[in-house]
Amino acid sequence: MSGAPEGSVLDRLRGTLIVSCQAYPGEPMRDPDTMRRVALAARDGGAAGIRAQGLDDIQAIRGALDVPLIGLWKDGAEGVYITPTARHARAVLAAGADVVALDATDRPRPDGRPLAASIDAVRAAGGLVMADVSTYEEGVRAARLGADLVGTTLSGYTPATYDRKAAGPDLDLVERLAGALDVPVVAEGRIHSPGQVTRALECGAYAVVVGTAITHPTTLTRWFADAVADVRV
């Protein structure tokens, strides 16, 4: 594994912006070299870290950048599909990620093994784990099991939290986890403005991940196109 070379990864991410560089299957930007270029542009704009999906994308970005890299592997389309097993987690680490992001919700995993198996696999290989959670209880459990960071990534995206999927980030969850955990809490999910980044840090976030609002032009265009359509109606 080739990682970020200077200083500890966590130290380099403290109080910073992490940019998620991902494209969905079938989209024009769904290409490792395109994501590499997007990551380079984000770095040049001030991103201190990158979050990337897929082994090819992780390898391409790792070869181009020396900033901390959070990697994940989406396998499937429902349930637990963000780095769902220890096998996926080891592969993400081998591709060059410094931190492996994985689904740490309380839903059953596709291989039937516990969350601890994935966390232990990454840590045994010398990597760090970012636990993507949807609830306070899941965050507490993930930290207890050895996760190095806890992210609010999945709040609003699981059956237990659909009612919390507001237009903006779940800052209540950020603040509650930050006040209870000894490990860093990362704010992620529906962060669409610099003001929301500032507020997340004020709520105790160790770092903030922004994706769609920076790196997904299809969604950005749709926001503006919808505004035009509303006026024309």
Side-chain angles (χ1 to χ4, degrees):
M1 180 187 74
S2 60
E6 297 179 4
S8 82
V9 170
L10 294 185
D11 285 345
R12 294 178 69 187
L13 291 177
R14 184 192 299 270
T16 67
L17 171 68
I18 301 164
V19 173
S20 181
C21 301
Q22 301 183 43
Y24 297 104
E27 292 185 334
M29 293 178 64
R30 180 75 226 103
D31 171 75
D33 188 61
T34 299
M35 288 298 101
R36 177 185 67 84
R37 292 171 184 270
V38 169
L40 283 167
R43 187 276 314 272
D44 289 350
I50 299 294
R51 178 167 162 131
Q53 190 283 132
L55 303 184
D56 291 342
D57 288 23
I58 293 166
Q59 289 174 339
I61 293 169
R62 177 77 291 160
L65 294 172
D66 64 1
V67 300
L69 177 57
I70 301 171
L72 59 139
W73 178 359
K74 291 181 179 177
D75 191 3
E78 58 184 26
V80 174
Y81 63 88
I82 297 177
T83 322
T85 71
R87 174 179 67 84
H88 292 83
R90 284 191 290 265
V92 167
L93 193 63
D98 301 293
V99 182
V100 177
L102 49 82
D103 184 314
T105 65
D106 60 7
R107 298 174 293 180
R109 310 181 81 76
D111 63 354
R113 300 185 70 194
L115 170 63
S118 293
I119 293 177
D120 291 346
V122 174
R123 302 201 69 184
L128 301 175
V129 173
M130 177 173 169
D132 291 348
V133 306
S134 67
T135 68
Y136 172 82
E137 292 76 16
E138 291 166 353
V140 170
R141 181 185 66 148
R144 176 173 52 81
L145 291 174
D148 300 282
L149 307 97
V150 171
T152 58
T153 317
L154 293 173
S155 176
Y157 298 100
T158 64
T161 63
Y162 285 154
D163 61 340
R164 294 219 307 269
K165 188 178 179 182
D170 190 347
L171 296 181
D172 289 341
L173 181 59
V174 171
E175 188 166 31
R176 192 176 177 200
L177 286 171
L181 301 185
D182 292 329
V183 302
V185 173
V186 178
E188 181 174 9
R190 303 184 302 280
I191 298 175
H192 295 158
S193 71
Q196 289 174 334
V197 171
T198 300
R199 183 69 185 121
L201 292 169
E202 291 171 346
C203 286
Y206 187 88
V208 181
V209 175
V210 178
T212 298
I214 295 176
T215 61
H216 198 249
T218 300
T219 298
L220 292 170
T221 303
R222 186 175 299 119
W223 289 348
F224 287 92
D226 287 348
V228 171
D230 287 343
V231 173
R232 290 176 61 184
V233 169

